[in-house]
Amino acid sequence: MLFEKDLLSVRLLTMQDYPLLVKWLSQSQVLEFYEGRDQSYNMAKISRLYGSKNLRGITACIVEYRGENIGYVQFYALPDQQKNEYGLRKEELIYGIDLFIGETSFWNRGIGTLLVTSLVQYLEWDCKVHRIVADPFEWNVRAIRCYEKAGFRKWKYLQHHEIHEGTWQNSWLMMYSSAK
């Protein structure tokens, strides 16, 4: 177990979890916000994308709530190239995070906020991270609100940041700064 907070726990992703990712990334409700509904996933694609050699530098995890697998989270040290692109200092330890709750029955229950808050605490205290960034689409109001509740602030508007469902999407670079 990487960390636990209240009824939430986060553990490292294993190959045995690949069927969960296939399930979650086959739901249009999830894909609308993560990866895009124009994407399709099967076991071979998940194995290729989430296999250890393709996740270099990324810590991939499964989120559990009350012992039930409900989502995915990953975190990674932001490369210098991205720091430069975002106007951040190279000497700071800055992590990026990406996540989704794959079990949609757990949406709108505050679990995302608990996850982000717990992840921030883990990265800040255990990994000694100075800043944490996330880049939700500008139209993903629920994600933006979740990050704001966890102490993130909109830091930079990223125009034409990512192609999602065939069109360029704008995002907010949101940042959490350590109190240390």
Side-chain angles (χ1 to χ4, degrees):
M1 203 59 57
L2 218 51
F3 63 86
E4 293 179 285
K5 175 78 176 205
D6 299 331
L7 301 173
L8 181 105
S9 57
V10 173
R11 62 176 175 76
L12 294 176
L13 177 77
T14 68
M15 288 177 56
Q16 288 74 31
D17 297 314
Y18 291 178
L20 286 171
L21 293 177
V22 172
K23 174 188 169 192
W24 294 333
L25 293 173
S26 296
Q27 298 176 59
S28 65
Q29 289 174 290
V30 174
L31 290 171
E32 179 180 356
F33 300 98
Y34 195 91
E35 301 299 337
R37 292 169 289 195
D38 57 345
Q39 301 296 312
S40 63
Y41 292 85
N42 57 31
M43 191 61 80
K45 185 173 182 179
I46 292 294
S47 296
R48 187 173 66 253
L49 292 174
Y50 293 90
S52 60
K53 65 181 175 184
N54 290 327
L55 285 178
R56 292 181 217 260
I58 295 174
T59 302
C61 304
I62 292 294
V63 179
E64 297 178 357
Y65 187 75
R66 292 186 171 175
E68 185 176 343
N69 299 315
I70 66 160
Y72 173 80
V73 64
Q74 64 184 25
F75 54 90
Y76 48 91
L78 213 60
D80 285 346
Q81 177 186 349
Q82 267 188 299
K83 288 179 188 177
N84 189 47
E85 179 184 326
Y86 295 155
L88 302 170
R89 295 179 16 204
K90 288 183 182 177
E91 58 275 0
E92 285 187 310
L93 182 57
I94 303 170
Y95 269 41
I97 62 172
D98 304 294
L99 59 106
F100 64 85
I101 303 296
E103 296 296 333
T104 58
S105 62
F106 287 85
W107 288 11
N108 300 315
R109 293 174 47 186
I111 296 169
T113 301
L114 176 61
L115 171 59
V116 174
T117 303
S118 304
L119 180 60
V120 162
Q121 187 175 39
Y122 170 77
L123 293 175
E124 186 175 22
W125 294 100
D126 291 37
C127 302
K128 310 299 183 211
V129 171
H130 299 122
R131 296 177 194 258
I132 304 164
V133 296
D135 58 355
F137 296 123
E138 69 177 340
W139 46 262
N140 192 344
V141 176
R142 187 174 60 232
I144 291 168
R145 198 170 348 173
C146 172
Y147 288 119
E148 287 175 337
K149 286 186 217 173
F152 284 72
R153 297 291 168 249
K154 291 178 180 171
W155 196 75
K156 185 176 186 178
Y157 186 71
L158 304 172
Q159 194 166 16
H160 302 256
H161 180 62
E162 182 179 333
I163 294 179
H164 181 78
E165 298 185 353
T167 60
W168 283 102
Q169 300 293 317
N170 303 325
S171 295
W172 276 106
L173 180 65
M174 300 192 71
M175 185 177 306
Y176 174 90
S177 296
S178 173
K180 292 181 182 181

